[in-house]
Amino acid sequence: MILHELISFDSLRLIWWLLLGTLLIAFALTDGFDLGTGTLLPFVARNDVERRVVINTVGPVWEGNQVWFILGGGAIFAAFPPLYAVSFSGFYLAMFAILAALIVRPVAFKFRSKREDATWRARWDWALFFGGAVPAALFGVAVGNVLLGVPFHLTPDLHSIYDGGPFGKFFGLLRPFALLCGAVSLAMLIVHGAGWIVLKTEGAIADRARRYGSVAAMLVLAGYALAGLWLAFGIEGYALAQAPLRDAPSNPLASTVIHGGSWLSAYADRPWIAIAPVMGFVGTAMAWRALRSGGELSPLGWSKMAVFGMISSVGLTIYPFLLPSTTDPHSSLTIWDASSSHQTLFVMLMATVIFLPMILAYTAWVYRVLWGKVTEDDVSDPDSHSY
């Protein structure tokens, strides 16, 4: 037996769908509170020392957290190449805006304290706000467009053509439902950032984070509920007209896709997936309660549950679709027809089994070493090497 045949092709496709979701959720759980903290920076900190305290809560960890974003993009490229080709082409300008914001963020970390000038530092503080808020919102806009479907089609030789036009690659993504998803994503990560600030700071900074986080949590609950109702009654879903060829070579054009009905019919077919949106609602509500009641660790813990549930609910709702097409439903990408080869998925899985536990162990060690609150005395110490 050939080594890669130890695990069936359909099992590997499902495993990599789960791993891709895991990597994206890990990015949201870790770098998500960095983005939320940056978004809250101008509002929870009122003077230079307080802003330095907030910045230094994420200063030692943001680079490591961002690795999950790289891993997620790499997993899409290697495990589902058609998804990478279509999404990075159709979302090109949005991706550029996200990357520009993520590039500005480390520059702001490094240069903010190079000069004592208040105007200089204020500009970099708003750069950190930009570097947090823009990706947080645009990631949600992207998710909203996945649920709506994207205007692309595949030629007979599987060359992907984006039908939205050059300006449609950005402005065409700003549809009302997608903007709502962007607002929910931004508010969700603000709650997450508030939970982190409460855990890592004390006094007035933590109190302000509780207030802003509480408001954001209420917006998340309202926006998530509205998005669910909109998805149920205002947006048509996609479905396979016949059983997928789970073990066949990848060919997105081999599937027959129906556009119509509701995405939420998935909950009738697989009732157990309702646990994901329930986790989203309960986690957000409990994060709001924990922020209001003075909890320190619990707001972050509950917000992690909310983030996990909300992101999972999207993947479970559209399963087995990865990216539906509005202009040619038969070009829609699913996990069964848009993956790499059997051998490629197996080799990648073996590498993941070896290296992912190492990454997790190192990450856990880093957070253990850096455990504790950041105080004004810490950032005022000239020997602390703080930002």
Side-chain angles (χ1 to χ4, degrees), residues 278-291:
V278 169
M279 289 176 65
F281 280 114
V282 172
T284 304
M286 293 302 294
W288 174 84
R289 183 176 182 274
L291 287 167

Side-chain angles (χ1 to χ4, degrees), residues 12 60 143 155 166-167 188 213 252-253:
L12 283 169
V143 169
T155 64
F167 295 104
M188 176 183 75
L253 296 177

Side-chain angles (χ1 to χ4, degrees), residues 88-100:
F88 278 67
S89 174
F91 297 168
Y92 178 78
L93 293 178
M95 290 289 184
F96 183 84
I98 289 172
L99 291 176

Side-chain angles (χ1 to χ4, degrees), residues 167-294:
F167 295 104
K169 289 189 176 183
F170 185 79
F171 295 107
L173 302 177
L174 304 180
R175 294 177 279 183
F177 178 77
L179 291 174
L180 172 62
C181 291
V184 172
S185 174
L186 176 59
M188 176 183 75
L189 294 186
I190 288 175
V191 176
H192 204 37
W196 177 255
I197 294 172
V198 165
L199 176 65
K200 297 291 289 184
T201 67
E202 54 191 9
I205 300 174
D207 291 340
R208 296 184 198 114
R210 291 182 190 280
R211 291 198 297 270
Y212 285 108
S214 299
V215 173
M218 290 188 288
L219 294 175
V220 172
L221 290 172
Y224 191 49
L226 177 58
L229 293 173
W230 199 333
L231 201 62
F233 301 108
I235 296 173
E236 291 186 337
Y238 292 75
L240 293 173
Q242 58 194 25
L245 301 175
R246 297 169 182 256
D247 285 317
S250 293
N251 180 7
L253 296 177
S255 301
T256 303
V257 178
I258 300 172
H259 184 201
S262 172
W263 279 124
L264 299 191
S265 61
Y267 292 87
D269 299 333
R270 292 170 281 126
W272 62 270
I273 68 175
I275 186 63
V278 169
M279 289 176 65
F281 280 114
V282 172
T284 304
M286 293 302 294
W288 174 84
R289 183 176 182 274
L291 287 167
R292 300 286 293 179
S293 63

